[in-house]
Amino acid sequence: MTVLPPAPLPGSPRPTRKHVPWWGSRPTADGGSSPEPLESSRVAASSTAALPAVGDPTRWSWLQQLRRQPVVALEPWLEAIETGAIELDAELLAALADRLDAAACRRLLAWWLARPQADPALLASLARPRDAAVARLLREALAAAAPERAALLLPLLGHQRDPADFPALEGWVRGAHPARLRQAALEGLAVGLPAWPLPALRTLLRGLAVDLDGTLAATAVDLLARLPQGRLSLARLQPGQLDPAVLRRRQRRLAALPAAPLVLVVHGRSGGLIPPELELLAAELERRRGAPVLLQSLTGTVLPPDPRPLRQAAASGPVSLLPLLLLPGSHVCRDLPAIAAAWRTSGPLRSLPFLGAWPAWQTALREEVAALKAAAGAPPLLLHHPLASAVAGRYLAHLAGLCAAPCRATPYDASDREELLSLLEAPDPLPVLPLVLAANRLTDGLPAACGAPLLQRPRFHTCLLDLLEALP
């Protein structure tokens, strides 16, 4: 039977319990106890010999007292570690960490690097200061490091954020090294990301995005998204070259990045009419980007009736303007500057290159030509509407070389293209690929067997959606 103590009388003071510190107590004359700290000799900052050994049950509390000391003479500890009088482990390093300046870290880092069997868990703390001498020690150690140590040192070299180390880290990433070393070098680039030269970094990451190592490729996509103009960096990746898992990662990164309103300049038809396939493209693109998409026809009014909704969606940032034109003809050289100037009167504008200049689009064109050639046994004839500038003519010749297929600027009037029609209507006609996004006067005058405009072909529809979805 348990006997409970009597309850206190109403109004009487409640008994109190004196706090007993964690470090122990000593007996008093009345049989009670009073708090007593550890002996001062055990916590003297200069008494390295008093440090309990690793595994001693009192070591942790001793180190806690050391960490709380207001003044600690650091030099005896550094000398004891360097001479091997005491063992440096993670707990001792944590107790001393707040007192380690750059000079102390350099000494301990040099001590660690000279010990082949040193605890790897200590290294990150010892190389923490961004210091020229620390960076020099890391470079010298990497020059002769075994693979296991090199994998530890590469991220720490990137942590130093010295732009001069970019070529070395790039060499480790690109080189024929084990995957662990390449990933460690890429981690070094990630931790020092703001320090590296942007053009070289973008080039490196775009190449890694198509690497056979899926971990490297996925990390490269993540880092591209973190760079300035991340959407634009991701837009320049060609989706067809990405591993499916990496492509999905790219799409997730794009969804997390804000997109600006987009104005697409299209050729249009008489009276500013927009072909249906372009309207469907704009609607799908607006859904994917989560931002307004406007079609600006070359044959229509330069500005929409009320551009304020676009400006409000831009949140005081620039609206992006992209010409969906395939050659640098008179429209690109003469009409586009006037359109851009008119849009700038209502707010900031970011002008992007015309569609035909984008490498991803040129790749899709080359692949379509190759597929048509494989099916017909001969390269198709690429047809474009009449050209009004020498620049456009030279660019058409460039496309002919790029695609290994003949290109021809074609008159609109049937009377001026009797020779072409005779070739297209022959018993064994040439395969044809019209260089137009949507139906226009050129395709209206061609036989139905010539094939559909580009946007009605799955390859180009997918390519254009992927390209435009990733734009800033």
Side-chain angles (χ1 to χ4, degrees), residues 95-345:
L96 297 174
D98 292 342
R99 297 173 172 86
L100 296 179
D101 58 10
C105 286
R106 287 196 299 270
R107 287 176 60 177
L108 293 179
L109 177 61
W111 165 86
W112 189 95
L113 293 171
R115 291 165 55 91
Q117 303 303 321
D119 185 359
L122 306 177
L123 183 58
S125 297
L126 301 182
R128 171 178 46 84
R130 291 194 176 103
D131 178 80
V134 169
R136 184 173 63 253
L137 285 172
L138 293 172
R139 294 185 198 109
E140 293 171 354
L142 269 171
E148 295 77 10
R149 281 212 161 185
L152 298 172
L153 297 173
L154 285 166
L156 299 175
L157 183 62
H159 169 74
Q160 294 298 314
R161 295 190 179 185
D162 186 340
D165 290 323
F166 178 78
L169 292 170
E170 181 183 23
W172 281 93
V173 174
R174 291 186 183 274
H177 301 293
R180 184 185 176 193
L181 289 179
R182 298 182 68 206
Q183 292 166 11
L186 187 56
E187 182 183 348
L189 291 172
V191 297
L193 198 63
W196 316 128
L198 271 177
L201 180 61
R202 283 197 180 100
T203 300
L204 172 63
L205 295 177
R206 284 200 297 268
L208 289 177
V210 296
D211 198 275
L212 293 178
D213 186 320
T215 301
L216 284 176
T219 304
V221 167
D222 291 344
L223 295 179
L224 281 170
R226 289 171 52 188
L227 296 181
Q229 297 184 350
R231 290 190 68 91
L232 189 58
S233 297
L234 294 175
R236 289 173 175 165
L237 297 177
Q238 299 188 30
Q241 296 181 358
L242 300 179
D243 179 84
V246 177
L247 180 59
R248 290 192 296 270
R249 197 180 194 95
R250 171 182 179 263
Q251 298 307 108
R252 291 196 298 270
R253 295 295 169 264
L254 285 172
L257 293 170
L262 187 59
V263 178
L264 302 177
V265 180
V266 298
H267 195 282
R269 307 203 67 167
S270 178
L273 181 66
I274 303 292
E277 53 262 54
L278 287 172
E279 292 181 340
L280 291 174
L281 175 81
E284 172 66 11
L285 189 58
E286 185 167 285
R287 184 190 65 80
R288 288 195 185 188
R289 288 172 60 87
V293 176
L294 176 73
L295 293 173
Q296 169 73 71
S297 173
L298 286 169
T299 56
T301 56
V302 173
L303 284 175
D306 185 0
R308 284 178 297 177
L310 278 179
R311 291 301 174 191
Q312 292 169 359
S316 76
V319 170
S320 295
L321 184 143
L322 171 65
L324 294 188
L325 303 173
L326 305 184
L327 268 69
S330 58
H331 294 311
V332 170
C333 299
R334 184 183 64 245
D335 298 335
L336 277 177
I339 292 174
W343 271 95
R344 286 192 179 95
T345 61

Side-chain angles (χ1 to χ4, degrees), residues 396-411:
L396 197 62
H398 161 73
L399 285 183
L402 179 72
C403 299
C407 296
R408 181 167 178 172
T410 307

Side-chain angles (χ1 to χ4, degrees), residues 363-404:
T363 298
L365 187 62
R366 187 168 60 246
E367 291 173 349
E368 185 75 7
V369 168
L372 292 173
K373 179 180 179 180
L381 179 61
L382 276 60
L383 297 181
H384 196 272
H385 66 65
L387 303 178
S389 71
V391 173
R394 290 194 297 269
Y395 198 83
L396 197 62
H398 161 73
L399 285 183
L402 179 72
C403 299

Side-chain angles (χ1 to χ4, degrees), residues 67-111:
R67 186 176 65 83
R68 294 189 176 108
Q69 289 295 304
V71 178
V72 172
L74 191 59
E75 184 61 29
W77 291 96
L78 296 178
E79 291 180 358
I81 292 169
E82 290 171 333
T83 59
I86 60 174
E87 180 181 352
L88 179 63
D89 65 348
E91 291 183 347
L92 176 56
L93 183 59
L96 297 174
D98 292 342
R99 297 173 172 86
L100 296 179
D101 58 10
C105 286
R106 287 196 299 270
R107 287 176 60 177
L108 293 179
L109 177 61
W111 165 86

